[in-house]
Amino acid sequence: MKTSTMLAAMLLICPVVQAWSSSRPQPMKMGLVGTFSKGARRVRDSVLNKERSREDLKIGIAGFYDRSSKLWEDVWGEHMHHGYYIPADRTDHQQAQIDLIDEVLKWADVDSAQNMVDVGCGIGGSSRHIAKKLGCTAQGVTLSPYQAGRGNELAKEQGLDGQTTFQVADALDMPFEDNRFDLVWSLESGEHMPDKKKFINEMFRVATPGGRIIIVTWCHRDLKEGEDNLTRKEERLLAAINRAYYLPKWCSVDDYVNLLEKNGAQNIKREDWSYIIAPFWKAVIVSSLNLKSVLGLARSGFSTQRGAYAMFLMLKGFNKGLIKFGLLTCTTPETEAKTD
């Protein structure tokens, strides 16, 4: 049996073991049976890569990042995204993450802003960096209470308390008034959105007329002429990744462009930066091969462990040209009319 297969089997068994060991002693046999059945269903759904409901995704995303964010910060720092690898052999990985933010801003022709919203902010690394760089205010939303709390702690430590704030909120129903932000930023969060149309519409709603929207996200490849869908093998690979990372179905950059156009977007620009971030995968895998990372992963629980294993699936999809690191930017219409 291959090592990867053995690891997958061990990870799939974990939910049953954890559910059994964490349950309180039950006076009735049915309590134990119910606990075991729940664990068995989790294993079955994982094996079959069953698609999660929108509510399950919302709960799962919050829990996944509540458990994994501290481990990531301990190893990689405050920026929870990929790095900019030009040249490809650079080894200053945390600086590469900061450079990615700066290069995306440069690519999108952004050199000033007054009010920014970070849609899917993690622990707020991008928000704080951009707030310092551009002198703007920044508000971030995340489903994870841990991330929102940690983001505010770091803002206070860095002297940005009040200039940057973070809260728990749904990106598909943000608690902001219309026409609020002249910079709407989403870095590696769009892949978590179960309703891409509503995701785009909501960003247009909170953007000021003529405001700038930037989306950096994982997508599947654009369909070729004559194709209606991805291949079954490609769909199975993405389904396995979805289970691990609490993702809904993927879309392509073409799909995003269509949604932007329906909102009347102007100055649409797109680019594939897959080759620019490619070395980051190997760096993350290498970073996990030390005692601190292994112990942290062992303590982090099943969902984080499964996410670590799924990085190999992401790498497989990336190498096959299925998974793309897409950049999109546009400006909103100068009038306030937005698509419902």
Side-chain angles (χ1 to χ4, degrees), residues 72-110:
W72 179 274
E73 185 183 0
D74 287 345
V75 178
W76 283 90
E78 64 181 312
H79 295 285
M80 304 184 69
H81 57 81
H82 290 73
Y84 184 84
Y85 284 87
I86 294 180
D89 61 350
R90 67 185 300 182
T91 57
D92 53 339
H93 303 301
Q94 292 191 18
Q95 184 60 47
Q97 292 176 296
I98 296 171
D99 289 349
L100 181 76
I101 300 171
D102 290 338
E103 293 297 332
V104 169
L105 290 172
K106 185 188 302 182
W107 174 82
D109 297 321
V110 174

Side-chain angles (χ1 to χ4, degrees), residues 51-334:
E51 186 176 349
R52 291 183 172 91
S53 68
R54 180 169 172 176
E55 188 60 28
D56 285 344
L57 284 171
K58 191 173 179 179
I59 295 170
I61 291 167
F64 177 81
Y65 285 110
D66 279 346
R67 291 185 291 271
S68 63
S69 294
K70 185 179 186 305
L71 174 61
W72 179 274
E73 185 183 0
D74 287 345
V75 178
W76 283 90
E78 64 181 312
H79 295 285
M80 304 184 69
H81 57 81
H82 290 73
Y84 184 84
Y85 284 87
I86 294 180
D89 61 350
R90 67 185 300 182
T91 57
D92 53 339
H93 303 301
Q94 292 191 18
Q95 184 60 47
Q97 292 176 296
I98 296 171
D99 289 349
L100 181 76
I101 300 171
D102 290 338
E103 293 297 332
V104 169
L105 290 172
K106 185 188 302 182
W107 174 82
D109 297 321
V110 174
D111 55 16
S112 65
Q114 292 183 327
N115 300 299
M116 165 196 172
V117 62
D118 190 345
V119 185
C121 61
I123 59 174
S126 295
S127 296
R128 288 185 298 275
H129 179 75
I130 294 173
K132 286 184 284 189
K133 181 182 181 71
L134 302 182
C136 63
T137 66
Q139 297 189 52
V141 295
T142 172
L143 290 175
S144 165
Y146 175 86
Q147 288 187 335
R150 182 59 180 149
N152 287 318
E153 286 177 0
L154 289 169
K156 188 173 183 179
E157 291 174 11
Q158 296 175 18
L160 295 169
D161 191 20
Q163 186 178 353
T164 61
T165 58
F166 306 94
Q167 62 180 299
V168 175
D170 189 341
L172 302 184
D173 187 20
M174 289 188 279
F176 306 120
E177 66 271 22
D178 294 357
N179 310 317
R180 175 73 178 82
F181 304 99
D182 59 338
L183 176 58
V184 180
W185 172 272
S186 172
L187 177 58
E188 295 185 38
S189 63
E191 51 269 26
H192 280 298
M193 306 302 169
D195 187 335
K196 299 296 192 290
K197 178 181 178 181
K198 192 168 185 181
F199 170 52
I200 296 298
N201 289 353
E202 188 69 354
M203 287 195 288
F204 272 80
R205 181 186 69 79
V206 300
T208 59
R212 170 69 61 178
I213 293 176
I214 300 175
I215 304 167
V216 182
T217 185
W218 287 101
C219 296
H220 68 62
R221 64 173 178 82
D222 291 334
L223 296 180
K224 301 173 184 176
E225 186 175 352
E227 282 187 319
D228 294 323
N229 300 288
L230 297 173
T231 68
R232 292 182 63 183
K233 185 177 292 186
E234 290 173 328
E235 292 283 11
R236 286 195 297 269
L237 178 58
L238 292 181
I241 294 169
N242 291 350
R243 284 295 302 183
Y245 289 136
Y246 294 91
L247 302 178
K249 286 187 175 180
W250 294 51
C251 71
S252 66
V253 174
D254 274 348
D255 293 328
Y256 270 116
V257 170
N258 290 336
L259 291 172
L260 295 177
E261 290 175 341
K262 289 179 180 178
N263 276 275
Q266 299 172 356
N267 307 307
I268 297 174
K269 184 178 178 182
R270 59 176 286 179
E271 198 161 324
D272 179 2
W273 277 20
S274 300
Y275 70 99
I276 290 176
I277 59 87
F280 187 78
W281 287 106
K282 293 180 181 178
V284 171
I285 292 171
V286 169
S287 75
S288 68
L289 303 178
N290 62 70
L291 183 60
K292 180 180 178 181
S293 296
V294 170
L295 291 176
L297 186 61
R299 292 191 297 264
S300 63
F302 169 69
S303 63
T304 303
Q305 294 159 4
R306 181 174 55 189
Y309 169 70
M311 292 199 69
F312 292 94
L313 301 180
M314 287 285 288
L315 185 58
K316 180 180 179 181
F318 177 80
N319 288 336
K320 288 181 174 294
L322 168 62
I323 295 175
K324 301 292 185 180
F325 192 75
L327 275 66
L328 301 104
T329 189
C330 68
T331 54
T332 62
E334 292 292 341

